[in-house]
Amino acid sequence: MDLYEHQARELFEEHGILVPRAEVTDSPRGAREIARRLGGRVVVKAQVKTGGRGKAGGVRPAADPAAAELTARRILGMDIKGHTVGKVMLAEPVDIDREFYVSYVLDRSAGRFLAIASAEGGMDIEEVAATRPEAVARIPVDPAEGVTPAKAARIAEAAGLPPQTVDVLVRLWQVLVREDALLVEVNPLVRTAQGRIVALDGKVTLDDNAGFRQTRWGTEAAEHDDPLEARAAALGLNYVRLDGEVGIIGNGAGLVMSTLDVVAGCGARPADFLDIGGGASAQVMADGLSVILSDPAVKSVLVNVFGGITACDAVADGIVRALDEVRLTKPLVVRLDGNNAARGRAVLDARAHPLVEQATTMDGAARRAAQLAATT
Ligand code: GDP
Ligand code: MN
């Protein structure tokens, strides 16, 4: 779960990292009031869970409360990379001398964390990382040792950050540990004209597995970032949206994972992970199909089921009833195997839907779905 910038800012402040004074509102009138409280001049910042707000026009200075109201009116409701701006944060402007980049991120493959830091922070850090990787220091952090002042000093030195950033690096690690975060990122971390080190932007991703003990953000942050994921969650589906074109439905997380791999092996990209679990009722199938079909990127759908306790004919019945409920707009490839597979296939054959075809193997089904996605 990602936090909004204003929530990250709050955590930084609690852990003793300097942040600009700021408040959040969902109305232009509120923005005027806040600007007044903050002394007139402010920076108006869209609160959306995506980066690149500055380049999209979602971060704008305002010279006085009236300008803050106008600016908030422009930014509220704006679309930034598919995220609608519902709130703005108004922050006291900071006089920037230098911009740095610092983050800690879980490196799953190494079983460690990684400190990433650069003396060239700001809006173009991705470009710096791509064109001049040597300007970005990447230092492994052992989770058991953490970031001590000595470790922080090594990170700062490797990245060419001034020594005053060491304290922030230690505190930022404490944010990560105490808040159960998988990522904390500050870009830019700035040195102000007065020589203070201030976190001007923040991104924090919490580990959902620690949700049981990190309840303070409640429902606001628990909102799904993706509208289709939100709809799927409301329907009780085990759905993760991916960025490909072959919709995937399967029973059992392991089978769905391997289906993603096989589809990728056929040169196509999976559009989602959807595990309909053991029951595979018509309702779950209909709900799953309807979520997947409303993803405009989806070109074909692959249903891969291995019948176990829930036999294939029951799953096939579910698919047939789902087809009555959901208007199929894209080709559907079904592979049924395992318990009662022959009966299940007969049920689908009898339905004879023009957009539904069957395959007998997982590889064959994936190949066909990939082919359909490439030609439709
Ligand atoms: P992002 O584009 O989503 O990463 O949003 P940021 O919060 O990082 O803001 C984008 C850029 O706006 C920053 O890199 C800064 O250069 C600039 N910016 C943000 N707040 C201030 C401020 O208080 N003063 C000044 N001078 N620049 C700011
Ligand atoms: Mn930023």
Side-chain angles (χ1 to χ4, degrees):
M1 176 174 92
D2 292 344
L3 296 184
Y4 286 100
E5 177 196 19
H6 69 90
Q7 297 170 325
R9 179 198 162 280
E10 205 173 306
L11 289 181
F12 294 168
E13 188 172 39
E14 284 173 15
H15 286 85
I17 296 170
L18 275 181
V19 291
R21 284 164 63 218
E23 289 180 51
V24 179
T25 180
D26 59 5
S27 81
R29 292 295 303 178
R32 178 192 282 259
E33 290 304 312
I34 293 170
R36 209 194 316 275
R37 278 198 289 276
L38 293 176
R41 271 182 68 223
V42 288
V43 180
V44 187
K45 308 183 78 177
Q47 296 300 288
V48 281
K49 295 179 180 182
T50 181
R53 295 166 303 160
K55 290 202 166 157
V59 178
R60 294 175 186 272
D64 54 51
E69 178 173 341
L70 282 175
T71 306
R73 201 181 295 282
R74 279 175 74 184
I75 294 180
L76 285 164
M78 226 172 104
D79 178 283
I80 299 181
K81 298 185 190 164
H83 299 251
T84 307
V85 181
K87 287 184 182 166
V88 287
M89 181 172 91
L90 290 95
E92 188 178 45
V94 168
D95 210 352
I96 300 176
D97 172 30
R98 288 185 65 188
E99 295 188 307
F100 312 118
Y101 174 94
V102 299
S103 68
Y104 296 117
V105 60
L106 177 62
D107 179 354
R108 289 182 193 275
S109 56
R112 282 185 304 206
F113 282 85
L114 204 53
I116 305 177
S118 174
E120 299 179 39
M123 290 200 276
D124 293 315
I125 185 68
E126 285 84 5
E127 199 187 314
V128 173
T131 55
R132 288 187 310 105
E134 70 281 0
V136 180
R138 302 165 68 89
I139 313 263
V141 178
D142 184 318
E145 288 164 15
V147 177
T148 58
K151 178 83 179 184
R154 284 199 295 278
I155 295 167
E157 196 190 333
L161 306 183
Q164 305 103 289
T165 59
V166 167
D167 178 60
V168 175
L169 285 166
V170 172
R171 291 177 190 273
L172 198 61
W173 177 258
Q174 288 161 359
V175 172
L176 179 122
V177 172
R178 295 200 193 134
E179 308 297 331
D180 288 316
L182 300 172
L183 165 84
V184 292
E185 180 188 74
V186 186
N187 186 33
L189 176 70
V190 305
R191 185 169 71 194
T192 68
Q194 297 75 33
R196 282 202 293 255
I197 304 294
V198 180
L200 220 54
D201 183 15
K203 177 170 178 188
V204 172
T205 304
L206 301 181
D207 185 347
D208 293 336
N209 296 307
F212 68 96
R213 63 181 179 206
Q214 297 288 351
T215 52
R216 71 182 273 185
W217 303 113
T219 51
E220 189 190 5
E223 283 162 15
H224 278 263
D225 307 343
D226 181 278
L228 280 185
E229 288 191 353
R231 208 174 112 200
L235 291 166
L237 295 173
N238 223 330
Y239 169 89
V240 179
R241 191 177 185 179
L242 304 169
D243 51 12
E245 58 287 334
V246 178
I248 312 262
I249 302 179
N251 64 334
L255 182 64
V256 178
M257 295 285 260
S258 38
T259 308
L260 301 188
D261 286 346
V262 173
V263 165
C266 295
R269 292 179 315 159
D272 67 273
F273 170 102
L274 174 56
D275 171 16
I276 55 171
S281 72
Q283 193 55 54
V284 172
M285 187 60 80
D287 289 346
L289 268 178
S290 115
V291 167
I292 288 178
L293 291 171
S294 52
D295 180 345
V298 166
K299 298 279 196 297
S300 68
V301 182
L302 168 55
V303 175
N304 188 15
V305 167
F306 192 88
I309 293 168
T310 305
C312 287
D313 51 337
V315 175
D317 281 336
I319 295 174
V320 166
R321 279 188 285 140
L323 290 174
D324 294 334
E325 193 173 315
V326 179
R327 199 174 70 85
L328 194 60
T329 48
K330 291 154 189 174
L332 182 72
V333 180
V334 183
R335 176 260 185 169
L336 298 174
D337 205 348
N339 188 6
N340 274 355
R343 274 201 227 164
R345 289 184 200 142
V347 168
L348 284 180
D349 281 339
R351 176 65 173 75
H353 191 293
L355 282 172
V356 177
E357 48 184 277
Q358 298 195 63
T360 47
T361 66
M362 175 152 147
D363 285 334
R367 258 198 311 278
R368 183 62 185 141
Q371 189 183 34
L372 286 165
T375 52
T376 47

